[in-house]
Amino acid sequence: MVKLRLKRCGRKQRAVYRIVAIDARSRREGRDLRKVGFYDPIKNQTYLNVPAILYFLERGAQPTGTVYDILKKAEVFKELRPNDNETKLTEFNILNKQEKN
């Protein structure tokens, strides 16, 4: 399973994070499939590669809680369009899956 999660970069006490698509079994600093964004909590800056994020979400990638909040704030989920042939990940489905964990 693929997850969208944060990968820590930067130095001590000055953490910045990359938002990456990564295999769920990999460790936090493990090899990622693709870098899809950047988050700096100190400067409160966010950069998102929205087409890449939508690509992974449409194929079943699950965002972690923090990444979900970042994507929700950037209104990425409004750009997801459900297809008649397959069920896409919607905001409601993500919330239900997070509540089960």
Side-chain angles (χ1 to χ4, degrees), residues 13-67:
Q13 303 296 319
R14 298 283 298 169
V16 293
Y17 299 91
R18 288 184 182 144
I19 300 170
V20 297
I22 193 168
D23 184 29
R25 296 169 291 183
S26 297
R27 57 194 177 104
R28 181 187 72 184
E29 305 302 329
R31 183 174 174 169
D32 51 75
L33 301 173
R34 186 167 180 189
K35 296 175 185 82
V36 295
F38 175 83
Y39 173 60
D40 185 351
I42 296 168
K43 296 180 182 175
N44 203 19
Q45 293 178 337
T46 305
Y47 166 77
L48 300 173
N49 184 350
V50 177
I53 291 170
L54 291 176
Y55 171 83
F56 283 107
L57 288 175
E58 288 171 351
R59 283 155 183 77
Q62 296 294 311
T64 59
T66 306
V67 173

Side-chain angles (χ1 to χ4, degrees), residues 51 67-68 88 96:
V67 173
Y68 173 81
K88 303 285 182 171
N96 284 340

